[in-house]
Every structure is written in structure tokens, then in C-alpha cells.
Amino acid sequence: MIYKEYGRTGKMVSSLGFGIARMPMLLDAEGKAVGVDDEKAIPMVHKAFELGVNIVDTGHWYMNGFSEAFTGRALKGWRDKVFISTKNGAEEGTYDCWMKWLERSLTELQTDYIDFYLFWGLSLEQWQTQINKPGGLIDAMRKAKDEGVVKHISFSTHDSAQNISALADEGFFESVLMQYNLLDRANEETIRHCSEKGLGVSIMGPVGGGRLGEPSKVIQQMLGGKSMSTAEIALRFVLANPYVNVAFSGMDSMESILENCATASVQGPLTPEELRKVDESFGEIKNLAALYCTGCNYCMPCPQGLNIAKIFDIMNYHRVYGLTEHAKAEYANLLKPDSQNKPASACVECGECERKCPQKIEVMRQLKETHDTLA
Ligand code: SF4
Ligand code: SF4
């Protein structure tokens, strides 16, 4: 296993972290999750620890509210060897509520300290209005740290890259958890910025939230058809970023644990030459995707409520990236009766969008093709 220094926290963390978010669950007769299948799940987590993983990321609400409590059970006998990263959603935005959720985290995790405690899904706006003010949540976090209950103050975020950098500039945080993968490199610059500011940088969704878990010939051929799975290429890509310290993978099977641990120890990051090839190929792929639709949204609104760019984006997972199963799963969401977005089949061919599209895209024909391919 490769270990890296987690920013100025000084902790040495495994470059692969275990995201406790997709463990096998126990289901009731209606298919509702009623708990974690400890018999299957605990040996999986222990195997990762035995292979060198020394940090887990959890959060009370993951896995239908069972994640932290499961993590507490899985850490029995391992607590002094493994770092815990978990989160406080501060849903009510009050000091008392925040403290209550901290108590809940400690109880569920069966521990008296948390290594990395994160403001969950923090935005710059929330920081400015709710947290960084007298009597705000900043005081709650400071108190917890002064008492040794929290070792390092952190945040997870889905805010814009610019706002994440602004949060890092506040000088309050010791580490950050954000999105980054082969398909979404928007945070590349802020990852570097946060690292240079001394924050430990951890990544969620290194295999694109499972999107890169399925085989894609397109992505595999980027490295000349070497015998590597798409997930392996995706993880090695994230690990090759010198400013990334930990990639948290939500591993859901023994196979994925063995594969990811091997990737993070034996294969290691993509080499500079491999990275150059991936960069080049993605440049070409992006140009190809733009031929189908640039996502400019000039064609909107559609009188039938279709989100045309989103539908083409889903189609591109299939025709450009070769991630067909993911594209089908995403499209199936549009077909659900309660979906906010309409599927391609709702188009009545009024032609309004085509008149507005600067790329002269044959929207109606492409929508039909999308539905026929993915429905
Ligand atoms: S042609 Fe179809 S997609 Fe385009 S505006 Fe009309 S209904 Fe919407
Ligand atoms: S106007 Fe054309 S290129 Fe822009 S989002 Fe609509 S279909 Fe895509």
C-alpha cells in the first residue's frame, strides 16, 4: 500500500480509503434495507485493513442511516490502527443540533474521538451565513477540537471549484473531501490549491460513483489495450495526481477490495507516459462528444419539458465513453413516473429546438435514437 502525508495534519494515510457507503444490506420482505449484513460486510472491511487500508469514510445517513453504527462494529479491534473520517450535516444549523449529532457519531462509532470531522456538503455560502459567526457552528467545532473529541477539522463539498479554493483560503480547515475522476476533472485546479494551502486532499467517487466500474473498451484502449479494468485505470488516474492524498472508494464486494488494494499498492499511479495518453484520448473524446451536443442549452426551454442536453449527455456515456450499462441505468431514471425530467420519447417533434441549435444538431432524430438504444 502507498501511504501519503495528509496535508498539515501530518497523519500518514493509505492512498486508498474505504468509503463505507455500499456494503451488503439485509432487506425486509418489501426489499427495504433494515440493517447491514455484518456476516458478509465485516470480513470485507477487515480484508481491506489487512491489505493496508488505514482510513475509512462514513456518515450517519449513508446506507439508510446504518453506516456509522456499522463502522463502529467493523472497527472493533482495529480502532487504534485506522483513522475515521465522518461528517456532521448540521441540518438545523444550530450549535445544539450540531453537538447532538457529534454525540450520536461518537456513540454509533463506539469511540471517544474522531480523527477527521467534516462539515458535510459545505458551501461557501453556508460557511459565511451559518458557520463562521459568533455562536455559530465554528464555535461548536472549535470546542470539540479543544476537548480532543475531534482531532482535525475538515469539510466535504460539492460547491464550485472557485468556492472550494475560497474555503481553503480561510485557514480553518485541515482537510477536504471533494469529487474528482476521469469523467469529471473540474476540481483539478482547486485540488492543487487546497494541497498547497496545507490541506489534506481526499477524493470521493474516484471511479465516477460506479460509472467507471463497468468495462469500457474505449477507456481501456486509451492505454493501448493493456490488460487493465476500467476501474483500475480510473483509480490509477486519481492516484497519479500528486496533490491527492486519499481516494475513497465505496467498495461493495470482496473482488473490488482485492482489485483496488492491488491497484493502490502493486500497480500504483498511472505513469507519466500513461497519463499523457489518457489526457490526449480524453481531449479527442471531448471533441467527439461536442459534435453530438455542446450542452449550451440554447435550445431550451422545450415546450414538452425535455432537458435535451441532459439526455444527450446520458447518450454520450454509451456512444462516446462506451459505458453502456451506466447510460441505460441513467436513462431508466428518466422513464420513472416520478422523474422530474422527461425521457426522449416525450418529444412531439415540434422542431422548435432544432431552429435554435447553433450546432445544427438533428435533435429529433438523435432523441429517437437515444430512446431506441437506451430504453
Ligand atoms: S422537437 Fe421535441 S425536443 Fe425539440 S422542442 Fe419540440 S418537443 Fe422539445
Ligand atoms: S442547442 Fe444544440 S448544442 Fe446546445 S444544448 Fe441544445 S442540442 Fe445541444
Side-chain angles (χ1 to χ4, degrees):
M1 181 60 63
I2 297 165
Y3 295 87
K4 292 186 175 180
E5 194 168 343
Y6 203 29
R8 64 168 171 266
T9 73
K11 300 282 161 44
M12 293 303 288
V13 290
S14 52
S15 56
L16 175 68
F18 205 132
I20 308 288
R22 299 171 64 195
M23 306 310 300
M25 303 297 287
L26 297 169
L27 306 176
D28 68 10
E30 276 129 41
K32 187 170 162 262
V34 291
V36 183
D37 187 342
D38 281 14
E39 226 169 277
K40 283 189 190 148
I42 289 182
M44 288 165 56
V45 178
H46 288 179
K47 176 53 84 178
F49 293 162
E50 285 157 19
L51 293 172
V53 170
N54 76 349
I55 180 165
V56 295
D57 180 68
T58 175
H60 171 79
W61 291 111
Y62 296 158
M63 308 193 314
N64 287 38
F66 294 112
S67 180
E68 278 187 339
F70 166 75
T71 304
R73 297 195 296 280
L75 278 177
K76 276 201 183 136
W78 288 91
R79 178 65 190 100
D80 58 337
K81 299 176 196 72
V82 174
F83 298 113
I84 298 177
S85 159
T86 192
K87 314 175 184 75
N88 191 324
E91 291 89 348
E92 292 168 17
T94 63
Y95 183 99
D96 290 346
C97 174
W98 194 92
M99 281 296 184
K100 199 166 73 186
W101 291 163
L102 171 60
E103 276 307 317
R104 183 181 62 190
S105 289
L106 292 166
T107 306
E108 292 194 332
L109 290 163
Q110 302 183 45
T111 185
D112 50 12
Y113 69 94
I114 291 163
D115 300 282
F116 306 102
Y117 205 40
L118 282 61
F119 285 111
W120 195 338
L122 183 66
S123 65
L124 183 62
E125 193 201 347
Q126 194 189 13
W127 166 254
Q128 289 165 340
T129 56
Q130 236 179 40
I131 294 172
N132 189 19
K133 62 177 190 181
L137 302 180
I138 191 170
D139 290 347
M141 188 65 109
R142 276 202 183 111
K143 182 168 184 287
K145 185 165 180 189
D146 289 347
E147 290 173 353
V149 175
V150 165
K151 300 295 179 193
H152 301 287
I153 299 173
S154 309
F155 68 104
S156 67
T157 182
H158 296 279
D159 207 346
S160 67
Q162 197 184 3
N163 287 352
I164 298 172
S165 291
L167 283 165
D169 290 343
E170 292 288 314
F172 182 68
F173 301 104
E174 295 165 273
S175 68
V176 56
L177 173 63
M178 69 179 101
Q179 188 99 24
Y180 176 58
N181 59 63
L182 257 180
L183 301 175
D184 178 5
R185 297 172 66 172
N187 284 336
E188 213 149 69
E189 194 46 39
T190 191
I191 285 171
R192 185 186 61 76
H193 182 83
C194 290
S195 174
E196 286 176 354
K197 284 280 169 182
L199 277 73
V201 177
S202 53
I203 298 303
M204 57 176 119
V207 287
R211 279 174 296 173
L212 291 159
E214 72 168 283
S216 159
K217 283 211 173 68
V218 178
I219 293 174
Q220 282 162 321
Q221 275 162 9
M222 285 178 187
L223 296 180
K226 279 191 194 170
S227 61
M228 255 185 267
S229 72
T230 312
E232 184 183 337
I233 294 170
L235 186 56
R236 292 184 67 211
F237 165 79
V238 172
L239 297 179
N241 186 319
Y243 304 107
V244 168
N245 305 126
V246 190
F248 283 110
S249 178
M251 297 174 277
D252 59 358
S253 66
M254 201 55 107
E255 293 71 43
S256 62
I257 290 163
L258 296 177
E259 181 179 320
N260 285 352
C261 286
T263 302
S265 49
V266 186
Q267 285 87 354
L270 291 181
T271 63
E273 176 58 15
E274 288 171 332
L275 208 48
R276 190 188 58 74
K277 282 187 188 161
V278 168
D279 267 338
E280 266 177 25
S281 306
F282 261 86
E284 286 165 20
I285 278 180
K286 275 211 167 121
N287 292 339
L288 182 61
L291 283 181
Y292 294 118
C293 172
T294 61
C296 67
N297 279 331
Y298 288 142
C299 53
M300 298 291 278
C302 154
Q304 296 302 311
L306 276 80
N307 184 337
I308 297 165
K310 182 174 170 61
I311 292 171
F312 290 161
D313 201 35
I314 293 172
M315 182 63 166
N316 279 346
Y317 281 117
H318 157 67
R319 68 183 157 194
V320 180
Y321 294 103
L323 297 165
T324 305
E325 289 314 308
H326 171 70
K328 284 185 174 173
E330 283 278 298
Y331 192 72
N333 286 332
L334 302 188
L335 293 166
K336 288 179 183 161
D338 58 347
S339 169
Q340 304 259 315
N341 291 305
K342 296 271 175 55
S345 52
C347 170
V348 296
E349 304 199 338
C350 69
E352 251 185 61
C353 53
E354 290 195 5
R355 286 191 281 280
K356 290 188 272 186
C357 176
Q359 308 299 320
K360 304 282 173 243
I361 285 169
E362 295 174 82
V363 177
M364 294 180 283
R365 185 187 61 73
Q366 279 208 38
L367 285 174
K368 194 170 176 327
E369 188 189 331
T370 299
H371 187 77
D372 291 347
T373 309
L374 301 181

